[in-house]
């Protein structure tokens, strides 16, 4: 069934697909965008849109997280980023963006000690606003930090590394047994990223309420050669979701896509391939509320010895059409509301993201996210 | 028969093709270009060439529409563009092109109220010239505007949105039932765009004299993820045409291709895939008669909340060979006659479009458009 | 056997390949380049190399043609170019290259009347040098000009249009019947270009000693949509050669590839696909003897109403590595001898073309051109 | 089993794959990078990493070779490069890089006579440092130079041309019979490059301890049309290794990949396809110890009549993200230790190469190189 090719004598590889090779095929009666419902329910929480922010300080200031919630999405705080390491968050970020070609500043800032009190204080500030609080911890520090962030107000816990497995094996170490660990928590856990069916199924069996597909880093291909083909992997993990649903007689685990999603079209295509929600990165950095003030980087870019992901100017995706400088300048004065809901003067799917998703669904004749997962697909 | 691939476990996508992947294969005796006949008959109308202009104000001034007719093609007026909103059309367009990187001016100009009297006056001006008058309305305003434009002189009605269906479904609304509506009209209707066999067949059954294939917008892929693969879709809709011809015992519905057609080669390839006529956009903006004065944008670029399509300088397709600035400067002094019929000093298929089409047909050994639809094709 | 795909419902296209998708696979014992023999016999003529120059004034000055012969190749004179139209050839070309972005000068220079005496005088000058004289005429003017150029000294006649057929059909006209015409001539005819098996077989049956594959123009794809996939078409025409050889019990018609051949690797790949010789264009314009003095254009670029092919600066293929300006400057001081036989300081296969071909053959374990046509191929 | 396509009538080509089309698929439990062992054993020698330097003077100064050994890899000296031709090595290289767009200086420097005493002196200097000494000779001069370099201290002999065969055929000459020659030597021989299964098997049967896959030159495609598809060819030669192992009942010949390896991801992918070790070129030129001082060229770029490979500025692979000038400036101050082992501020897999390889293995759940050759692969 899978499409395998023999790349050399006796060595096979699977043929896989990226989101940008996929396009939607409208074959039903069109609908009005107004009739489209993008509501996303996960555990006890309901969101107007299935949009989640990548847990990077290039997005997450307290203001950004609060506004993300108010605009119907879910902002995610990185417990191991700058929030708990530097009281002067703005100053720290100014250092990062002062020389964006060099990751050294970002790396040094991440080497500062984590002040749990400072982190808790900031999480509480978000909690006080009334929006749902989601916090990301790494698998390595989950046991240590989860109690801290939950006490400070976290309602959803992201356990996210670039790529994780349900049971990490380490000689002589005490790696996280996710199943055991999740069993001890009272709040839902979303875990990932994963790049295959098997790992995803393991995470589901470990009790995750959601699984993240993809590494959230656009330079993973260069560093470790694992370049997650998002269209294929989302479909594979959706199959794991189906099989687990059958196996458990009804436990539905959510699939969040985190990789290669830069436009409203990408959001629609990720859902069409089987995602329940999508994690957004650079496209949200257009908002004035975002921490990066004109720049984006994934959370992994600050890794002390093995950074992945670059510090990129906002709007660099537009470079071929507009000059990036002027575009970036124009962009960072926009509000998150405009980025998500418009009005838009952008014809390339980077503003009014929710409007774009709704329009895609309406043009294809679907009014809810779940049924839209069945829309016809074409590849090139 | 269709070529489907499994992009992920249990999820299939159809393999599709763009016009630029296709090329013509000459296998018959060559003919003289002089013996080639490009006459196009639709309903009671006959045109020397199967070339239609996209209904955008970047092309359609009254002068342009009249000249388009005189040169053997069909110019299409956008009833919902600037003609009926601004008495000073030139001034309005000057505003648009003063800052082409920003769609805001275009959007604001489209927000002005539609003055039906002004629109009618301008349509009448075209009618008085004696050329065939075609006017485009959106599905949303068709009921309201069709009587106005027909009264003013429209002889062919285009009901065109980026992508439409025969029966749009809207909760609590009264969307257009195309079949019913077309039945009330005395003039032929050309409807679209469509992206699939089924919708095209529905439009044919609704009574359309012609169906538009494609969205006419080159940034639809970025905004809604529907990137119509023109070669495949033209062939699919040609199959619908065949099936409808059979079903009705002889009713032939025309297929107009509106997307990715930038050169004389593209025109030939669209017809080779099954189109009866083609809708031209940016390539016609080279003409001095065109409204955009050096710029092109599709009609959808002025949408207030969800613009699609960019304002692009004329000749930007030549950027790799010539410097765009000098090329654009050179181009906008050309007449529409030269763009369509030469003489040409352009080796890239953007001038003498009709000559190029004729030459393609002659080299492949065909002398009429209908039989040319059977020419051999190769893909890469 | 052929690989066809359904590009849309009921519409098939053949999957085809370009030379740049092909690469050679060495599987035999390597040889020494010194043991490689590139001798090419056609009719009564023998050449040290299978290299022919495209009949353009951007290459062919009398000096260039003579030097081409001395260096072991075959230079081809365009009877319908500038040689017979302007006594001051250098002055004419200076006009062409004074504004290379515009073909108008080239077109006007081709509109001057053809002076048969001047043409004959120049052909005789080449003949006097002792090298083999090849002259190209178009199918349209072959009947008129062939006697003139043969009388002046032509020993091989090229009847070459971008794409021709054995029997061109024209209403009310008297097109060239190639078979009849070739029968009246005493010298061998090489005819083309062709893009398919059938036409090639017809030309062979019409008595051609050689068939040219490809249009020799790199912008044919843009103007008429016929973009000859050289690897596939060379192989197809080689099959026609085999079938004709069988049909006639031994008449071997030569196959000359004219398109997409820019490096020594391309020469080797064209022969590997089945060519007996190759026609070179821009790569020869590097020679100081070439007429274009830093620029190249195919013969068709001067067509008055329908020009194809651009005036390109020499060395533009190197743009990504070197700056074209400095590269071009460096190049045009080279002799044709260096371009063909080295020594070379160019690592990209554009100098020492014969050396590169020999090396390719030697590395793959072949010592003559005919057997090299069986070398293993890989595609990407 | 092999995937062949008919590229034209009666002419087949094999479908092949490059490393950049391949990506790794993690499906097992993740491991800690700390538990990964990259030890490489070949003959009596053991290295901490499977990394070998390409035998070019752009890398190999005595300091570089010694440091390469100290950092756990194997540096290779080119016996026919500048070491034995110019006592002032730095001055010679300064000449090369003074005008990097022109290979002439490099070619002239290689035309100087080879001073065996000088070469031996420098090899001894490396030997004295205690690191393993590997020296490369060409097949042409192997018989003459092998005794010299072995006497001077070479412990592993590389017999490397761009592409070689086990028995080179030359009329009237006395080419190297590898089997015979290797039989006379007391030290292990690593021979190549090869581009296919058959030649690799022959080299194994000739007694090579290792076979090099690929030509080590990135412009071979342009000069001779042999563009080794590394993923396919590594897998093919790994099959030859398996078959030879079976045939000999246990003789394991090592496979070194030399081509298209620029990042830690490429290293991981080459091993995943079946390589035991990889040969690195430009990426090592980032080190301050490297001879090229900001530039890289393969050993073949100095060939007097037929140079292959360009002189490229270090860091040119980063051009799309960073400006190459500043990147290059930043890079050449790095130590080889940082290039191989970090710490890294580079997110694109060009620093901390060993860390990247370990991380790739760990993420995919493997802890040794041999088992990692079975990791799942995906292609696009």
């Amino acid at each position: 069934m899978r499409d395998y090719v023999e790349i050399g004598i006796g060595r096979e590889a699977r043929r896989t697909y990226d989101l940008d090779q996929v396009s939607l095929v409208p074959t039903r009666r069109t609908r009005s965008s107004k009739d489209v419902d993008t509501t996303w329910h996960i555990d006890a929480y309901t969101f107007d849109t299935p949009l989640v922010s990548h847990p990077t300080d290039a997005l997450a200031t307290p203001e950004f997280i609060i506004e993300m919630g108010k605009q119907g999405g879910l902002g995610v705080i990185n417990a191991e980023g700058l929030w708990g390491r530097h009281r002067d968050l703005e100053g720290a970020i100014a250092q990062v963006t002062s020389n964006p070609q060099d990751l050294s500043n970002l790396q040094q800032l991440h080497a500062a000690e984590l002040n749990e009190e400072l982190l808790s204080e900031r999480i509480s500030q978000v909690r006080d606003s009334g929006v749902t609080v989601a916090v990301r911890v790494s698998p390595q520090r989950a046991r240590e930090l989860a109690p801290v962030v939950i006490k400070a107000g976290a309602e959803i816990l992201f356990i996210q590394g670039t790529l994780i497995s349900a049971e990490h094996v380490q000689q002589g170490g005490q790696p996280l047994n996710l199943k055991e660990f999740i069993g001890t928590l009272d709040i839902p856990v979303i875990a990932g990223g994963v790049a295959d069916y098997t790992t995803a199924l393991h995470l589901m069996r470990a009790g995750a309420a959601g699984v993240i597909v993809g590494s959230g880093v656009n330079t993973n291909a260069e560093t470790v050669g694992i370049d997650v083909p998002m269209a294929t992997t989302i479909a594979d993990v959706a199959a794991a979701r189906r099989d687990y649903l059958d196996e458990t007689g009804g436990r539905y685990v959510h699939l969040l896509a985190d990789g290669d999603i830069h436009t409203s079209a990408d959001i629609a295509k990720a859902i069409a391939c089987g995602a329940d929600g999508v994690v957004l990165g650079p496209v949200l950095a257009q908002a004035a509320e975002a921490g990066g003030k004109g720049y984006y980087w994934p959370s992994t870019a600050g890794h002390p010895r093995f950074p992945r992901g670059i510090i990129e100017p906002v709007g660099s995706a537009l470079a071929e059409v507009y000059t990036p400088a002027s575009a970036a300048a124009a962009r960072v004065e926009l509000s998150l509301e405009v980025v998500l809901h418009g009005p838009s003067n952008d014809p390339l799917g980077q503003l009014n993201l929710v409007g774009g998703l709704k329009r895609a669904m309406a043009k294809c004749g679907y009014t809810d996210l779940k049924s839209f997962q069945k829309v016809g697909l074409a590849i090139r």
Side-chain angles (χ1 to χ4, degrees), chain A residues 282-289 293-295 313-316 318 322-336 338-339 343-347 350-351:
Chain A
V283 75
L284 295 183
Q286 296 176 105
E289 292 92 343
K293 302 299 166 208
Y295 290 92
V314 166
S316 52
L318 301 177
Y322 300 117
T323 53
S326 70
R331 288 308 162 88
V332 292
E333 291 168 27
L334 299 170
S335 67
L336 184 60
V338 166
V339 174
S344 158
N345 67 341
D346 170 273
Q350 302 197 328
L351 294 182

Side-chain angles (χ1 to χ4, degrees), chain A residues 206-227:
Chain A
V211 169
I212 302 163
V213 173
S215 70
V217 182
N218 59 357
T219 66
N220 215 47
E222 283 79 11
T223 48
V224 297
I226 305 172
D227 188 5

Side-chain angles (χ1 to χ4, degrees), chain A residues 34-55:
Chain A
K34 286 170 205 144
D35 296 338
V36 170
D37 181 1
T38 61
T39 304
W40 175 46
H41 304 281
I42 177 166
D43 202 89
Y45 301 93
T46 296
F47 302 93
D48 287 350
T49 74
L51 307 182
V52 176
S53 73
H54 184 78

Side-chain angles (χ1 to χ4, degrees), chain A residues 136-365:
Chain A
R136 176 260 169 185
V137 295
S138 67
Q140 288 76 20
R141 302 188 71 173
R143 250 195 301 247
E144 166 200 353
L145 290 174
V148 176
V149 303
I150 291 171
K151 194 172 160 207
E155 297 166 283
I156 301 178
L157 186 71
F158 280 66
I159 302 180
Q160 187 175 5
T162 51
L163 291 172
I164 72 169
S165 62
E167 196 176 357
H168 181 80
V169 181
Q170 187 169 7
Q171 284 174 12
Q174 286 261 350
L176 190 66
N177 178 318
L178 260 189
K179 186 166 186 176
E180 214 174 277
F181 180 67
I182 291 177
T184 69
L185 300 175
D186 287 333
I187 68 171
V189 168
I190 292 175
V194 301
D196 72 303
Y197 172 97
T198 310
T199 308
L201 193 58
H202 285 173
L203 292 186
M204 291 172 186
R205 286 174 178 161
V211 169
I212 302 163
V213 173
S215 70
V217 182
N218 59 357
T219 66
N220 215 47
E222 283 79 11
T223 48
V224 297
I226 305 172
D227 188 5
V228 185
M230 288 299 288
T232 295
T233 311
I234 293 171
D236 283 359
V237 175
R241 183 181 60 201
R242 266 196 313 277
D243 292 350
Y244 182 67
L245 189 73
D246 183 64
E247 174 180 319
T248 57
R251 196 165 170 264
Y252 189 89
V253 178
H254 288 258
L255 191 172
L256 271 73
D258 188 3
D260 299 342
I261 299 176
H262 301 297
T263 61
S264 47
D266 293 337
I267 297 171
K269 292 195 269 182
I271 292 169
C273 288
D276 299 290
V278 300
V279 181
L280 300 176
V283 75
L284 295 183
Q286 296 176 105
E289 292 92 343
K293 302 299 166 208
Y295 290 92
Y296 179 81
W297 58 92
S299 49
T300 46
H303 192 288
R305 282 188 70 86
F306 202 70
R308 277 135 301 152
I310 57 169
I311 303 176
E312 55 180 313
V314 166
S316 52
L318 301 177
E320 288 175 36
V321 185
Y322 300 117
T323 53
S326 70
R331 288 308 162 88
V332 292
E333 291 168 27
L334 299 170
S335 67
L336 184 60
E337 182 179 3
V338 166
V339 174
L340 294 176
H341 300 291
S344 158
N345 67 341
D346 170 273
L348 297 170
Q350 302 197 328
L351 294 182
N352 194 3
L353 298 175
V354 176
L357 169 61
K358 285 186 172 175
R359 199 167 182 95
M361 293 169 69
K363 285 290 175 191
C364 293

